[in-house]
Amino acid sequence: MSNVKNYTEQGGNRTVIGGELDITPEGKLAFDGTLLSPATLQADSTAVDVAGLVTDFNALLAKLKTAGLMNAE
């Protein structure tokens, strides 16, 4: 039994992160060729009606898509 938290299995098909993965500012994280980044802050909604809430929600969805955290289509 090993006490190593982070390792790549033999053959390289699976990497296990049991510790912390720290991506430096120079580092990149991609999923299926799409670069991922933190989403831009979405302010708390102050909507007073459904139409305002829809606008706020759509803004959040756009930020998630731009960050690569949600597929655009």
Side-chain angles (χ1 to χ4, degrees):
M1 188 162 115
S2 174
N3 63 356
V4 176
K5 293 182 178 182
N6 305 329
Y7 59 92
T8 300
E9 290 184 349
Q10 188 172 2
N13 289 330
R14 181 172 182 241
T15 298
V16 176
I17 307 296
E20 180 175 317
L21 177 61
D22 184 15
I23 301 173
T24 65
E26 301 83 27
K28 296 179 182 178
L29 179 62
F31 179 78
D32 198 25
T34 300
L35 187 63
L36 305 179
S37 62
T40 304
L41 175 67
Q42 173 66 38
D44 292 345
S45 177
T46 58
V48 294
D49 58 17
V50 173
L53 187 57
V54 167
T55 298
D56 291 346
F57 183 70
N58 286 336
L60 173 61
L61 293 177
K63 289 174 182 175
L64 292 174
K65 291 173 185 176
T66 298
L69 301 172
M70 177 183 284
N71 289 332
E73 289 289 327

